[in-house]
Structures are given as C-alpha cells and as structure tokens.
Amino acid sequence: MSRLRQPPLVTGISPNEGIPWTKVTIRGENLGTGPTDLIGLTICGHNCLLTAEWMSASKIVCRVGQAKNDKGDIIVTTKSGGKGTSTVSFKLLKPEKIGILDQSAVWVDEMNYYDMRTDRNKGIPPLSLRPANPLGIEIEKSKFPQKDLEMLFHGMSADFTSENFSAAWYLTENHSTTSFEQLKMAVANLKRQANKKSEGSLAYVKGGLSTFFEAQDALSAIHQKLEADGTEKVEGSMTQKLENVLNRASDTADTLFQEVLGRKDKADSTRNALNVLQRFKFLFNLPLNIERNIQKGDYDVVINDYEKAKSLFGKTEVQVFKKYYAEVETRIEALRELLLDKLLETPSTLHDQKRYIRYLSDLHAPGDPAWQCIGAQHQWILQLMHTCKEGFVKNPKGNPGLHSPMLDPDTDVRPSVLGHLGQTASLKRGSSFQSGQDDTWRYKTPHRVAFVENLTKLVISQLPNFWKLWISYVNGSLFSETAEKSGQIERSKNVRQRQNDFKKMIQEVMHSLVKLIRGALLPLSIWDGEARQYGGWEVKSELSGQWFTHVIQTIRLTYESLTALEIPNDMLQTIQDLILDLRVRCVMVTLQHTAEEIKRLAEKEDWIVNNEGLTSLPCKFEQCIVRSLQSLQGILECKPGEASVFQQPKTQEEVCQLSISIMQVFIYCLEQLSTKPDADIDTTHLSIDVSSPDLFRSIHEDFSLTSEQRILIVLSNCCYLERHTFLNIAEHFEKHNFQGIEKITQVSMATLKELDQRLFENYIELKADPIVGSLEPGIYAGYFDWKDCLPPTGVRNYLKEALVNIIAVHAEVFTVSKALVPRALSKVVEAVSEELSRLMQCVSTFSRNGALQARLEICALRDTVALYLTPESKSSFKQALEALPQLSSGADKKLLEELLNKFKSSMHLQLTCFQAASSTVMKT
C-alpha cells in the first residue's frame, strides 16, 4: 500500500546540545497526524519514543536518553510517512554530577544515584559524587608508603571532605611531582570555583527560570481552583473529598496487599537475618574452625582468627555476638592448656619449645610459660643424669643403652661440639689402649669410664638447648612482635628477677654432673650423706692412669664445649675443681702403678752383663719411669683456666713421697736380687756378650751364678744408678715440673749408697775373710818359728796362695765391672795387710833369718799390690815392717833384693793383673 504522506523531515531542535535526560523540542514537517501515528523517535541512536509527546505535525517534545554516540541525527518514524530524515543534529554532553552539598536550581534526577546496570537496589554513596580532582590539574600519585604519610601527618586526613583535612598531605600524595606552573593553574581553578560559589543563588535562578515559571503557573492554577471551590475548612470541599478518596484508596490497598506485604516483611526479616549471617559468618563459624585448625596443628591460623575476632567483637554489646565470642574464648582457653602441656612435655626440641612459647605469648596466656618451660627442662636434665647413673649402677656387667631419643647426642645438637668430643675420644682410645678394631674397644672400657662418657655426652646434648632457651628468653626472641611491644616492660622485670634463679639452675646441673662423676671415680671426695644419691658403685679395682687420662680428656672437652656456649666461668668452676682433683688422682694412681710395675722388674732380670758391667735392669727402670711421666704429660700440662697439679703443698708432699717410694722399691728389688738363693735364679737364658767373649766364661760353662757374682752385678748396677740413672730421672722430674726433686734425689741416693755399702761390705767379707784366715796357718805351717829358721830362699807358698786368691777376686770383679776392681781389691789388701801387721806384731822375737824372711814376704806382698794400696794398708805394712829388726849388713839387703827380683820374675804372669796400664782412682 502506497504512503499517503511525505516522510518526516526534522529541520530544528532546541536546545541542540545537552546532557542525557535533557528535555528538547523537535520541529519539522510531516511529523505525524497524531500520537498514534508516531511509531519511532531516535536521537543520537537512542530510542526516545517512551518520553516523546506529540504536539502537532510540526512539533514533538521529548527527553534525550543515554546514547552511545556523542553527536547524531534526529530520526522520526510515522505510520503514514515512514522513516524520516534530519537536516540538523544533536550533541550529547557528559553529565556533571551534582554533589550532596552543591546548590541546584532544578530537581536532581535520582537515577543519577543508581547503577542501573549492576544492582538496582544498591545506591551509590552520595560522597562518591564529590569532584575527583578539585584542583583541576592532572593527578600524579606519589610513591610514599601510606604508613609513612600517616606517621608524618598524625591525626590528619588527605580526604578534602574530612574535618581533619590536611592540604600538605593531599599535595604530597597526589601532586608531589607537579611543576610550579601547574600548581599556579590549580590556584586559578580554585579561585574560579570560589567566585562561582560566591555569586549565590542568583546564578542558579537565572539558569532555571523556565522551571520557576512552570512552578508558578501550577501554583496559580491550584490557587484559582481552590478559590472557586471554597475554603478548605468548608465541609465537602475539594481537599476534604481528596482526603477521603485517598484514605479509602489506602484502606483498599491495605486490604488487597496485606498478605503480600506480610510475606514481604517476613521475607525482608529473613533476608536481613541471612545478610547478618553472611556478613558475620566469620564469627559464627569461628568455634568450629578453631577446633578443626587445632586438630590439624594450624595454630598460626587459630591465633590470627582469634586476634581478628577479639578486635571486632571483644567489646560488643550484641547478645548473639557475646554468646559466640564466649564460645571462642572457651576454645582458646582449651588451646592454651594444650599448648602449655606440649611445651612442658619432655623430650622436646628447641624449635618446638620456641614455637609453643610464641603461640602462648600471642594468646596472652597467664603466667610465664617460657619460664615454666625452662624449669621443666632443668628438671628433665637432672632426671636424665640420675637415670643414666642408675642404669649403669644396676647393670654393672652390660653397657645400658640410652632409650630416650633425647639422649642421642646427634639429636638437635651442634655437630662441632659433639663431633669434636667423639672424634677426640676415638683417637685417644685407638692410640692409647688398643691396636685392634674399634668395635671391640667398648667391651674393654671400664664400666665407670663408660658412664662418664655417656653422662658428659648427655649434658652436652641437652645443655646447649637449655642455655639457648634462656638467652632467647632474655633477649625476647621467644615472643612475637605484638607480644614484644605489649609485655616488654613486664618481661624486663621478670628477667631481672629470674637471673639468679637460672644461675642456680645451671649451678645445680653442674654440681650434679660433678658429684655423679666424683661418686663414680672419686667416692672419697663426696659426703657420706650424698653417697647414696651420687655413689653406690661396686668398685672392684682402681682405674689405671691411662683410663684416668681418658676421663680427664673427656671432661676437658666437655668444659670446652660448655665454654663455647659463653656460659660464665664462675658457673663452670666446679668442673675445673673436678678436673684438678682427677688430675691429682691420675698422678697418684700412675705413680702407684709405676711402683707396682717396678716391683715386677726383678722378675725380668736376665743377668746379661754388657761391657760396662751392667744388666738391662737400670735401663728398664729408667724406661718405666719415663713412660710413666710421658703418660702424665697431658695431665700435668695446664689447659686455659686450669691450675697446676702441684699447687697444693699436700699434693707436692704426696707426689714427692710416691716418687721416693718408687726409687726405694727399685733399690729393694736390687737388694732382693743380690740375696736371692742360687736355686731361685733362672740361668737358662744367660748368654755371653759377643763383644767380650771372655766375660762370664765360667758362668756360661756351668750355667750358674754364685752369690758373690750376683752381688758384684748389683754393685755395678748401683754404681750406674748413682752416676747416671738417678740423675737422668731427676732431669725428667724437673722437665715435668715435679716439686721436691732435690729431696727425692737425696733420699734415693742415700738409700742407694746404704745398699751399695752394705752389699760391698758383704762381698768383701765373703772374699777377704778366707784369705785373711789362711795367712796365720800358712805362716806357721810345718812348725815354722821366727826365732829358729833357715836362711830365706824365696817367698813361701802361703803368700803365693794368698796372692792367687787375691788374683781370683780380681778376676771375678774384673769380669763383671772394671770400675769395681780398685774398690774391691783395695779393701781386700787392707784386710790382708792389717792381718799381716797383726801377726808380725804378735811375734816376740825374730832371728836374723826370720827377720829377713818376714821382710821379704811383707815387701813382696806390698810391692805386688802397690797399685791398690790405701793409706790404711800402707800404714799396716809400715807397722808390720817396724815390728821387724832392721837389716844390719849390706849382704842381707842384697839378698833381700835378689830374692824379691826372683819372686817377681818367677810369678810375672800371675802378677800381671796387678800392673794396670793406666792408674785408676780408688774408691774407699
């Protein structure tokens, strides 16, 4: 069907620009025959038919809607003319929102306060409509932290709508990098806005004159109608009728919508309750969440949730919130008790202890959980130490293991401390006590030594954590930052009060350690009342010096490990005292064992004599002393902080007496060897020194030693001891800082000389008496008479026999020791000369031949042993010659000389032993 009219044509619009919802008047041609003919109207692409009001074929009034395009045509569509065209366009401006405090000449459309696209029921806060940029220049956000700005402008705000607005804060936050020129522009903008506001309401009235006129017309029409209808007080007036109509309409609406409205109120209350539940679901779900997190061990989550709930609902007055918050507090109290039980539970690692203390601190647990933990750890260490002791005492044959995992030295301990201790102990064991495999060494370890090792390892494994826990308690690192700030003053008071208590704890641990070791190794050093608690050991034998050395090394390493923890030295003084007592005891035991070992040296005498007339016994004796002193070298050496072993005069005296007893024990061994019966001597192992094939030939032939030979060997050893061995031992004593060395040497020398003199006199008695006893019978053999005898023809046999016996003594002594020959022969010659002098003085009368015979024999003996004459023997020969008549004639003298020469010539071979190549100093 063909159109009857021309298409619509828009030729004008007023106004031609504006914001959305602006009322405009459209003019043109063929705009429709009536309201029903108008079927379409778009402005800038937005359909405005809903607000269109057809006036005439040339005029339409409508409101501009929200359009996507800033500028567009006005298109009118009618049934009669179809879709039209436009010769003009409309410019859509962005609306400027009016603030809640801004003046406005027109009614502000409430649609501006709602976000129609997202939530129709959620209103936009009026304060959000404030200008985002009051200065009118570009905003450049600064990089200053918000916390720093809050601290700098304390109590102020950067919000220009706030009562505490700070312009400096706002400029620092939004325009810290803005140039000065831009700031000048901002000042101009602010002045312009201020001038605009100073114009007052007149400007807004001018801008809304049309609105005022429309309102004026409406009020005038109402006024005229009321005047025509009469006053409002007259019965049946229009206002009264209107009121009645409105009341009936209200009642009817209530009747119609009462059920609906009731359901609406119930739905609103349910919705509000759900909103409350949704909004505060954190609190309502918190008790259950706390239980679940406690079961999972997420204590940090529980603490954070509790702090949040406490800050939000701790002071609430709402009964529901109070009820649920009370449930939260009940769960938290149970958590405090659980954490405290875990904290005081032993064994526990230092990491767990710190964690539980921090949790309890964050939960504001009553009391001082950290100190309670320190006290529990202290009692745990003491219990472990006594349990270790009881285990070893009750199981003396075995080596009780450490059943608790906390007794394992590798558990939560510094590797450098225990590694050093174990490695050093292993080296000591391997070097000092065994050469086999290490796994067999433990079975050789004495029970008490194993106890000391385990006890020290236990202390080293537990005390570092205990000390670190205290240090953390002092410096506050056990507590979180929140607890640190809130309880710093109170904790400082606690620390000052607890210092003495903790010092007593450390001292108690140290005293227990020391007393347990003393009870095992030095039982006499503890009181009788403490013997049951710290003693009770079954001691079968004393520890050797080597094991004491090992124990001292172990305790020294323990002391070094404790010192590395920076524990004050006054707390460790008891360990130093223990080390000193053990060192003294080690010295005493070592010297006592040395004396026992020296006692057994007599069993090792092989009677093999070297070129110097010595056996191996003096050398073995010296070696035994040197080994003993070398084993004490580490003990006598003072480590840092240690006192000298010989610090106490009592110790000096005891060590001196033990040293003297060692020397005297050896001297006693020599005496026993010299007086040992022949049947008790084992000579099957004797051999002749290769370097001197003539020595001990007779001994080697019959494999027996006479008592005289043993005495000579012991005398030779005594001489060597006096000249060398004892002096060397004195040097070793001095090298190891022994005290009273002069006394040791003097007493030992005196005892040795006494034995030497006694043995020498015994030997001389054994050898000289037979010779002296044979003189008188030999002289008067054959009824010889000095008064009546023949002229002498030579030296008689009795004197030759005596000389042979003296030569036998010489040979016997020379075989053992050349140095003893002058000493022995001089004493034998003294005895012979003294006896010969006595016999001559006993003769009443000598004949001429008798006097010559006597002078010949006396001179022959004197000249033969001239090398071994002493003043005493010379005096005896002189007295013997003086008892004889003097030679009166030269013939007698010549005869005497001839006979002497004959005697020396005939016995030249026998008398060679009395003719030494070099003179020897005789010892009397």
Side-chain angles (χ1 to χ4, degrees):
M1 169 177 171
S2 62
R3 294 190 184 96
L4 299 178
R5 298 180 64 86
Q6 293 294 325
L9 176 63
V10 177
T11 58
I13 184 171
S14 177
N16 60 0
E17 62 180 7
I19 63 175
W21 311 111
T22 301
K23 189 175 183 181
V24 297
T25 302
I26 302 172
R27 299 183 183 277
E29 301 174 358
N30 302 323
L31 298 182
T33 58
T36 57
D37 191 37
L38 183 63
I39 61 174
L41 175 60
T42 59
I43 300 176
C44 297
H46 185 268
N47 188 3
C48 301
L49 182 61
L50 186 62
T51 61
E53 184 180 357
W54 186 86
M55 296 296 183
S56 64
S58 60
K59 180 180 178 181
I60 299 175
V61 178
C62 71
R63 287 186 180 274
V64 179
Q66 293 282 357
K68 296 181 180 180
N69 302 323
D70 294 340
K71 190 175 183 181
D73 296 335
I74 302 93
I75 305 299
V76 178
T77 305
T78 62
K79 292 180 180 180
S80 59
K83 187 177 182 180
T85 58
S86 175
T87 60
V88 294
S89 62
F90 182 83
K91 184 177 182 182
L92 186 64
L93 302 177
K94 292 183 178 180
E96 181 176 352
K97 293 184 179 181
I98 299 175
I100 192 172
L101 302 178
D102 295 340
Q103 297 181 1
S104 175
V106 297
W107 183 263
V108 178
D109 194 344
E110 292 184 357
M111 292 188 69
N112 291 336
Y113 292 101
Y114 294 91
D115 191 346
M116 305 295 292
R117 295 169 297 173
T118 57
D119 190 354
R120 292 180 297 174
N121 296 324
K122 185 184 293 184
I124 300 176
L127 290 179
S128 66
L129 302 177
R130 64 178 181 266
N133 187 6
L135 297 183
I137 59 177
E138 184 179 359
I139 294 178
E140 299 177 0
K141 290 288 185 179
S142 67
K143 297 181 180 180
F144 291 103
Q146 191 69 19
K147 292 184 179 180
D148 295 346
L149 292 175
E150 291 177 357
M151 294 177 61
L152 184 61
F153 303 100
H154 182 68
M156 308 300 290
S157 174
D159 186 0
F160 53 81
T161 62
S162 174
E163 295 180 358
N164 300 327
F165 172 68
S166 173
W169 188 350
Y170 179 82
L171 291 175
T172 303
E173 183 177 2
N174 298 289
H175 299 285
S176 59
T177 59
T178 304
S179 64
F180 184 70
E181 295 297 331
Q182 288 180 327
L183 292 177
K184 290 172 65 177
M185 292 173 59
V187 172
N189 292 335
L190 288 176
K191 289 182 178 179
R192 193 179 303 113
Q193 293 179 16
N195 293 334
K196 184 177 180 181
K197 290 183 179 181
S198 65
E199 292 177 359
S201 304
L202 184 60
Y204 297 97
V205 174
K206 290 180 179 180
L209 282 177
S210 59
T211 305
F212 281 103
F213 291 153
E214 290 177 0
Q216 179 64 29
D217 293 342
L219 291 174
S220 297
I222 293 172
H223 181 68
Q224 292 175 2
K225 182 67 174 174
L226 289 174
E227 284 182 346
D229 197 36
T231 61
E232 60 179 350
K233 293 182 180 180
V234 179
E235 182 67 24
S237 65
M238 185 185 70
T239 55
Q240 184 65 35
K241 294 178 180 179
L242 181 59
E243 180 180 0
N244 295 332
V245 171
L246 290 176
N247 287 332
R248 290 196 301 270
S250 177
D251 295 338
T252 303
D254 290 341
T255 303
L256 292 174
F257 295 100
Q258 184 175 6
E259 184 180 354
V260 177
L261 292 176
R263 291 197 299 268
K264 179 180 179 300
D265 292 340
K266 186 177 181 180
D268 289 341
S269 62
T270 304
R271 188 182 299 109
N272 291 335
L274 292 175
N275 288 336
V276 170
L277 290 175
Q278 181 65 24
R279 181 177 179 184
F280 300 103
K281 64 179 181 180
F282 165 73
L283 176 62
F284 299 139
N285 295 332
L286 187 55
L288 181 59
N289 290 336
I290 287 177
E291 291 183 358
R292 291 176 179 174
N293 289 326
I294 289 176
Q295 292 177 358
K296 293 189 293 185
D298 294 337
Y299 303 121
D300 291 313
V301 177
V302 175
I303 293 172
N304 292 334
D305 291 345
Y306 172 65
E307 290 293 338
K308 182 178 178 181
K310 186 176 181 180
S311 62
L312 294 176
F313 307 101
K315 299 180 181 180
T316 183
E317 296 297 332
V318 181
Q319 293 300 322
V320 176
F321 293 164
K322 280 186 176 181
K323 180 179 179 181
Y324 276 88
Y325 185 73
E327 290 291 331
V328 171
E329 285 289 354
T330 302
R331 266 70 169 182
I332 292 299
E333 184 61 30
L335 176 60
R336 291 192 187 105
E337 295 177 359
L338 174 64
L339 291 176
L340 184 60
D341 292 341
K342 287 183 175 289
L343 176 63
L344 301 182
E345 181 182 350
T346 52
S348 180
T349 62
L350 179 62
H351 173 73
D352 290 340
Q353 290 171 348
K354 288 184 176 181
R355 191 159 56 94
Y356 294 142
I357 292 173
R358 191 170 291 113
Y359 290 154
L360 290 169
S361 175
D362 292 340
L363 291 174
H364 308 287
D368 193 349
W371 181 251
Q372 293 178 358
C373 178
I374 292 175
Q377 193 70 13
H378 167 245
Q379 294 299 325
W380 168 247
I381 294 175
L382 294 178
Q383 179 184 350
L384 289 179
M385 295 168 66
H386 286 281
T387 303
C388 179
K389 176 251 180 182
E390 294 297 330
F392 274 89
V393 171
K394 292 179 181 179
N395 188 14
K397 295 183 179 180
N399 191 4
L402 303 177
H403 302 290
S404 174
M406 293 305 294
L407 297 182
D408 186 358
D410 296 332
T411 304
D412 198 17
V413 180
R414 295 186 306 174
S416 59
V417 176
L418 288 179
H420 179 54
L421 179 61
Q423 181 181 5
T424 307
S426 176
L427 289 176
K428 287 290 181 182
R429 293 194 294 263
S431 60
S432 302
F433 304 110
Q434 65 163 1
S435 59
Q437 297 182 353
D438 292 338
D439 56 356
T440 61
W441 183 84
R442 179 161 295 280
Y443 298 103
K444 301 177 182 179
T445 306
H447 196 59
R448 290 176 292 161
V449 175
F451 162 70
V452 173
E453 288 182 347
N454 282 271
L455 183 64
T456 53
K457 287 181 181 179
L458 186 151
V459 173
I460 290 300
S461 65
Q462 296 297 318
L463 203 59
N465 290 343
F466 184 57
W467 180 258
K468 291 176 184 177
L469 186 64
W470 164 253
I471 295 300
S472 301
Y473 179 79
V474 171
N475 59 29
S477 62
L478 285 176
F479 312 96
S480 62
E481 295 181 0
T482 304
E484 177 74 21
K485 294 178 181 178
S486 62
Q488 186 172 5
I489 298 177
E490 182 179 357
R491 188 169 59 258
S492 298
K493 295 179 181 178
N494 290 340
V495 169
R496 288 193 293 269
Q497 295 173 358
R498 305 296 192 190
Q499 281 181 347
N500 291 333
D501 296 337
F502 182 77
K503 184 176 180 180
K504 292 179 181 178
M505 289 182 180
I506 291 291
Q507 289 177 344
E508 185 176 0
V509 172
M510 295 298 104
H511 281 101
S512 296
L513 172 65
V514 170
K515 288 180 180 178
L516 286 171
I517 296 178
R518 286 183 180 275
L521 303 179
L522 303 172
L524 298 179
S525 64
I526 60 176
W527 302 339
D528 295 338
E530 298 176 338
R532 182 174 181 181
Q533 182 179 4
Y534 299 103
W537 294 89
E538 182 180 353
V539 181
K540 296 182 179 179
S541 61
E542 180 68 84
L543 291 178
S544 66
Q546 291 176 327
W547 283 115
F548 267 110
T549 302
H550 173 69
V551 168
I552 293 170
Q553 178 67 12
T554 301
I555 300 177
R556 277 175 169 174
L557 292 174
T558 303
Y559 178 81
E560 293 176 4
S561 301
L562 297 177
T563 305
L565 296 175
E566 298 181 356
I567 298 178
N569 291 331
D570 58 341
M571 297 185 183
L572 303 177
Q573 185 59 41
T574 54
I575 298 182
Q576 284 287 16
D577 297 339
L578 171 64
I579 293 176
L580 178 60
D581 292 346
L582 287 174
R583 291 167 63 203
V584 172
R585 185 59 185 165
C586 179
V587 172
M588 300 298 181
V589 170
T590 301
L591 294 179
Q592 290 172 0
H593 288 184
T594 302
E596 295 295 330
E597 184 178 355
I598 289 174
K599 281 183 181 179
R600 296 188 293 269
L601 282 181
E603 303 172 1
K604 300 179 182 180
E605 176 60 280
D606 53 10
W607 299 105
I608 300 176
V609 182
N610 59 16
N611 286 332
E612 297 180 0
L614 305 174
T615 63
S616 60
L617 203 60
C619 181
K620 291 178 180 179
F621 169 65
E622 183 177 353
Q623 289 176 354
C624 184
I625 297 292
V626 171
R627 282 198 307 269
S628 175
L629 295 178
Q630 287 177 347
S631 67
L632 291 175
Q633 184 172 359
I635 302 301
L636 298 175
E637 180 182 357
C638 294
K639 298 293 183 181
E642 293 182 356
S644 173
V645 174
F646 307 107
Q647 183 180 15
Q648 298 295 331
K650 180 180 178 182
T651 304
Q652 297 179 12
E653 182 64 25
E654 290 179 357
V655 171
C656 180
Q657 292 299 327
L658 282 174
S659 302
I660 292 174
S661 67
I662 289 174
M663 312 292 268
Q664 291 177 340
V665 163
F666 184 69
I667 295 172
Y668 176 76
C669 289
L670 294 176
E671 184 177 5
Q672 292 295 108
L673 288 173
S674 65
T675 59
K676 196 173 186 181
D678 294 345
D680 294 341
I681 300 178
D682 182 11
T683 57
T684 57
H685 60 282
L686 296 181
S687 62
I688 300 175
D689 195 333
V690 178
S691 60
S692 52
D694 293 333
L695 300 182
F696 265 179
R697 182 171 301 276
S698 61
I699 297 176
H700 181 65
E701 289 175 355
D702 55 9
F703 296 97
S704 63
L705 280 176
T706 63
S707 59
E708 294 87 349
Q709 291 171 336
R710 289 201 305 275
I711 292 175
L712 284 175
I713 294 175
V714 172
L715 284 173
S716 178
N717 288 337
C718 288
C719 293
Y720 185 81
L721 289 172
E722 180 182 356
R723 297 175 183 176
H724 299 92
T725 304
F726 279 11
L727 298 179
N728 293 341
I729 292 174
E731 292 180 0
H732 287 294
F733 281 148
E734 184 177 3
K735 180 180 178 182
H736 290 83
N737 299 321
F738 272 58
Q739 304 297 317
I741 300 176
E742 294 182 0
K743 180 179 179 181
I744 297 172
T745 305
Q746 290 176 359
V747 175
S748 302
M749 287 290 190
T751 306
L752 181 65
K753 289 179 179 179
E754 181 182 350
L755 173 63
D756 178 85
Q757 187 64 28
R758 190 164 60 251
L759 293 178
F760 182 74
E761 290 175 355
N762 187 18
Y763 179 78
I764 295 301
E765 182 179 353
L766 291 174
K767 291 299 180 181
D769 287 355
I771 299 175
V772 170
S774 64
L775 288 179
E776 185 173 1
I779 290 176
Y780 297 105
Y783 303 100
F784 179 80
D785 189 3
W786 295 108
K787 300 177 185 177
D788 183 16
C789 61
L790 298 174
T793 58
V795 176
R796 288 184 296 169
N797 291 333
Y798 82 91
L799 187 61
K800 294 181 181 179
E801 183 181 353
L803 287 175
V804 170
N805 290 333
I806 294 175
I807 292 172
V809 173
H810 182 282
E812 186 178 57
V813 176
F814 187 85
T815 303
V816 176
S817 174
K818 299 177 183 178
L820 287 175
V821 171
R823 182 185 178 191
L825 288 188
S826 62
K827 286 297 182 181
V828 172
V829 170
E830 282 183 8
V832 172
S833 62
E834 182 179 356
E835 178 65 15
L836 192 60
S837 174
R838 184 187 68 81
L839 292 175
M840 294 298 107
Q841 292 177 3
C842 291
V843 177
S844 58
T845 305
F846 287 92
S847 64
R848 176 174 174 274
N849 292 333
L852 185 59
Q853 182 71 40
R855 186 176 295 276
L856 171 63
E857 293 173 351
I858 292 172
C859 290
L861 178 61
R862 184 193 62 183
D863 295 344
T864 301
V865 297
L867 187 63
Y868 303 105
L869 292 178
T870 63
E872 289 79 4
S873 58
K874 289 180 180 179
S875 175
S876 297
F877 280 119
K878 183 178 179 182
Q879 292 175 2
L881 291 176
E882 288 177 353
L884 301 177
Q886 296 295 325
L887 296 179
S888 57
S889 63
D892 292 340
K893 295 180 179 180
K894 184 176 180 182
L895 179 60
L896 177 63
E897 184 176 356
E898 290 177 355
L899 292 175
L900 283 173
N901 291 333
K902 179 181 177 184
F903 166 73
K904 294 177 181 179
S905 176
S906 62
M907 295 192 65
H908 174 72
L909 181 61
Q910 289 81 359
L911 301 180
T912 304
C913 64
F914 299 114
Q915 300 173 2
S918 60
S919 61
T920 305
V921 179
M922 292 179 293
K923 182 178 179 180
T924 60

